Amino acid sequence: MRVSENWLREWADPAVDTAGLTHRLTMAGLEVDAVEPVAGAFDGVVVGRIEGCEPHPEADRLQVCTVSDGTATFQVVCGAANARAGLIAPFAREGATLPDGTAIRATRLRGVESCGMLCSAAELGLGEGGEGLLELPAAAEVGADLRAWLGLDDRAIEIDLTPNRGDCLSVRGLAREVGALFDCDVTEAEVPEVAVSGEPAAARVAETAACPRYLVRPVRGIDPTAASPVWLQERLRRSGLRSLGLVVDVTNYVLLELGQPLHAFDAERLQGGLEVRFARDGEVLTLLDGSEAELAADMLVIADEAGPTALAGVMGGERSAVDENTRDIVLEAAFFTPDAILGRARRLGLHTDASHRFERGVDPALPRLALERATALLTELAGGEPGPITEVTDTAALPKWENVPLRHERLNALLGTDIDADTVLNTLRRLGMQESEHLDGWRVVPPSHRFDIGVEEDLVEEVARVVGYDHLPAALPAMEVAAPRQPEGRLPAARLRRLMAHRDYLEAITYSFVDARLQRRLEPGLEPLALANPLSAEMDVMRTSLWPGLLTAIQHNRHRQRSRVRLFELGQRFRPEADGLKQENALAAAAIGSRWPEQWGAGGDSVDLFDLKGDLEAIIAATGAADAFTFEADSHPALHPGQSARIERDGELVGWLGALHPVIAEELDLADPVYLFEIAVEALTAAPLPTYRTPSRYPAIRRDLAVVVDEAVAAADVLAVAREAAGEWLRDSRLFDVYRGKGIDSGRKSLGLGLTLQDDSRTLTDGDVEAVTENVVRALSQRLGATLRD
């Protein structure tokens, strides 16, 4: 919001300078971004009048003007096309200084003496201006200092408002805030009554839930040649708007002054009465900026019998726009609910002053006042006969402001203060709120322009703002500090991160929002939660797995010539279930490229499934419950049919491991195989309590067995059967060899098992060991069809 300080002080004028005013606004949450002068630094420029003009004898494009400063006349050579006798314009006399540093002195132009300079708006630092001299009104006092006459010793204050403070998007709104902060008077706009005549304009509202209040008024017979006065153009310019003609300037002026967007239709271009309704399928509207908007069914429009003529709360249509020939207009003021306007302009690539305000909430009590104010200004400046106001209001659909409780003790507890009740009451009243005593505090009804007051904490914030954040005591809260407990049966998530980093993985942090197409490609049977207002088309659903983010990161790095990428992420996934959305933490990793970084002592072998499985098994080993985990061959839509396995803990599915499906890899433009795993963090952090066991004093004996089994038999199953059959003397078992080839039948494989046996009370004999070995071989033969290798 950009506002002229002088204009603001006409409404509320606290006894502080500019620095004090802007500091107080910033401390109250209305952050002042910049304070700039409204005009360039110049002096010696007065209001002048051109008494006469003659062609320059040596230059066709120049004129020799006689200029009066009220006391004397001067000969000035001027090249402006609009220089003419009788024109009132800025006149820089000899000795004047312009904003660019130019010092005005007498000179000769093409042989003719020129004493002074007639100035344009741009030359005085008053914006870009139009072609030629800045034309001043005929009533301007000739000879008056231009800076004083235009009030140019003014500053434009740029305020960065948060989205909840739409009530401050006007001079009136800021004045209310200044009045509350400094406890000074606020002057309201004087709106004289206008005499009405003629017939009212017809209006109908089909969607009162979206537009609970709609007002229109015809104004007939305005002077199309009437120009916006300089004071009006100046106030618009200082607020960041340019003059677009009197009718539009008046609507923009009221928008800036009161905060109510208005729109003016050319009455002769309307066909029948106006109707507020939602757009229909296939309707297209050409907007004021010349763009064509394809309207959706949830877009509110203002239509006549010929179709849409404005996009409600956003922008008017070209078909009914006013121009330099317009004599009869229909003024519109409305209250559109924020939900009916929110996001519609952005969908069309637009952002207007009207949509900016309606999306944040406009005072529903303001449309009639704004319409009367615009009517009075317009008829004062361009004449015309206003007609009666047509108002359509659905009281039941208007916003309701409920009582909000405010407890005195709670307020001081939250702020760490001792603010007395009288100060709280005075603050609430200065903010225009109605209060009544209730139990240990008050019941407060906010004014109609405050959409952001809904709970007790909002009122606490208001009191804090007005008192001043910089006046609140700075004290640390009193609290008991205790070190958090770390249960022995839990493995910290931080340790999982360190373990992954130690195994040469880089941690990635990706968005919880992912591309719906990629998500459904990886898990086609699971419908992710769609976002109502996504950041982009590639971030439109909540992730059900960490894989989409990791694969996107892999793709990003590969496209930037990173040949070896190893990433992991520990984060939340959001999986829809019958009883709602389940949020759980998961650990996932992805690897592509060579097994080792490039070096002379290692080959360039590519990473494979067993590398990733080994990394995961190292993580699992840290839980102290490695025997509880198993890897079972199974298929997953995202993984290679022959290289995928489900991960189970105590028979319950906790994750997946495998190679990315080749078709998906091709779609992602990943030429090399990608290997992935994902496992629930809960399965990794639940660790058994450590227990003490007395080490045996007796020697251990190892027996190695080479057994031949079918290719389909998993090594994990062989180890499981061997452990069960070996009994209580077994201390360690491991697979140390896998062989296929000469001497082994096709479809079979040889597995080398190492069994370590030990007793706590005595030294095992050869007979003991042989008995255990025979028991293991027998169990493997009976249950898995294994035979000892010759």
Side-chain angles (χ1 to χ4, degrees), residues 474-498:
L476 294 174
M479 64 176 65
E480 181 181 351
V481 179
R485 288 186 173 185
Q486 180 61 52
E488 290 184 88
R490 304 292 296 178
L491 192 66
R495 187 171 177 203
L496 298 179
R497 290 188 170 94
R498 288 196 298 270

Side-chain angles (χ1 to χ4, degrees), residues 266-604:
D266 187 324
E268 293 185 1
R269 298 183 178 185
L270 294 176
Q271 300 183 27
L274 296 173
E275 180 184 17
V276 184
R277 61 171 173 82
F278 282 118
R280 295 166 185 152
D281 290 340
E283 286 188 323
V284 177
L285 174 63
T286 302
L287 298 170
L288 286 173
D289 62 1
S291 63
E292 281 199 353
E294 296 183 7
L295 304 177
D298 64 342
M299 292 181 178
L300 201 65
V301 298
I302 313 300
D304 59 9
E305 294 177 0
T309 188
L311 186 57
V314 179
M315 186 182 288
E318 187 177 69
R319 176 168 62 87
S320 59
V322 298
D323 58 23
E324 65 277 3
N325 299 314
T326 299
R327 298 185 61 85
D328 300 333
I329 65 170
V330 175
L331 283 174
E332 168 202 84
F335 170 69
F336 301 114
T337 60
D339 287 345
I341 307 300
L342 191 64
R344 275 60 167 189
R346 188 163 55 252
R347 257 193 271 165
L348 297 172
L350 301 172
H351 182 269
T352 65
D353 290 325
S355 67
H356 188 74
R357 287 163 173 77
F358 278 125
E359 288 179 347
R360 287 155 177 75
V362 174
D363 186 352
L366 189 57
R368 179 173 283 273
L369 173 65
L371 196 59
E372 294 284 11
R373 174 68 167 149
T375 303
L377 276 174
L378 187 61
T379 53
E380 176 187 348
L381 299 173
E385 298 179 357
I389 291 177
T390 301
E391 178 175 352
V392 181
T393 298
D394 184 348
T395 305
L398 287 171
K400 304 293 190 300
W401 278 262
E402 303 293 339
N403 287 327
V404 180
L406 177 61
R407 293 165 290 175
H408 190 199
E409 183 178 347
R410 176 65 173 163
L411 180 146
N412 282 317
L414 285 175
L415 298 180
T417 56
D418 189 21
I419 301 174
D420 60 76
D422 289 340
T423 301
V424 175
L425 283 174
N426 182 43
T427 299
L428 295 176
R429 290 166 183 166
R430 281 154 61 183
L431 290 167
M433 301 188 188
Q434 301 176 8
E435 89 294 331
S436 59
E437 291 188 6
H438 180 74
L439 299 178
D440 56 347
W442 305 271
R443 289 280 187 180
V444 180
V445 179
S448 58
H449 57 269
R450 291 303 297 271
F451 281 78
D452 59 322
I453 305 297
V455 294
E456 184 177 29
E457 287 73 15
D458 294 331
L459 294 173
V460 173
E461 179 190 5
E462 292 303 298
V463 174
R465 286 192 321 102
V466 176
V467 169
Y469 292 128
D470 51 341
H471 293 155
L472 298 180
L476 294 174
M479 64 176 65
E480 181 181 351
V481 179
R485 288 186 173 185
Q486 180 61 52
E488 290 184 88
R490 304 292 296 178
L491 192 66
R495 187 171 177 203
L496 298 179
R497 290 188 170 94
R498 288 196 298 270
L499 288 170
M500 291 299 296
H502 289 164
R503 300 193 71 82
D504 199 24
Y505 287 85
L506 294 175
E507 183 173 8
I509 300 176
T510 65
Y511 285 105
S512 296
F513 315 138
V514 297
D515 187 348
R517 291 172 296 180
L518 178 57
Q519 180 65 73
R520 294 190 179 99
R521 193 73 180 85
L522 296 173
E523 292 189 290
L526 201 60
E527 186 62 29
L529 177 66
L531 299 178
N533 190 21
L535 297 174
S536 68
E538 292 76 28
M539 304 172 68
D540 53 348
V541 298
M542 301 293 286
R543 66 186 181 191
T544 63
S545 163
L546 304 186
W547 285 347
L550 288 179
L551 287 173
T552 302
I554 290 279
Q555 181 190 48
H556 180 86
N557 280 274
R558 292 289 282 194
H559 287 173
R560 283 153 184 81
Q561 288 77 51
R562 299 291 297 180
S563 60
R564 182 177 184 268
V565 186
R566 295 165 66 87
L567 300 174
F568 82 93
E569 180 171 11
L570 197 158
Q572 278 199 328
R573 58 187 181 185
F574 309 85
R575 302 181 71 82
E577 295 187 354
D579 56 348
L581 193 68
K582 181 181 180 182
Q583 302 183 42
E584 62 178 358
N585 286 322
L587 174 68
I592 189 173
S594 59
R595 177 175 289 120
W596 303 105
E598 185 177 0
Q599 56 173 300
W600 66 269

Side-chain angles (χ1 to χ4, degrees), residues 1 22 25-34 157-162:
M1 173 68 185
T22 56
L25 287 172
T26 297
M27 287 297 101
L30 308 182
E31 184 178 355
V32 175
D33 278 349
I157 302 174
E158 187 81 36
I159 301 177
D160 185 13
L161 295 173
T162 52

Side-chain angles (χ1 to χ4, degrees), residues 655-671:
W656 287 90
L657 165 76
L660 182 65
H661 198 290
V663 174
I664 300 177
E666 184 179 356
E667 292 172 357
L668 295 176
D669 193 24
L670 298 173

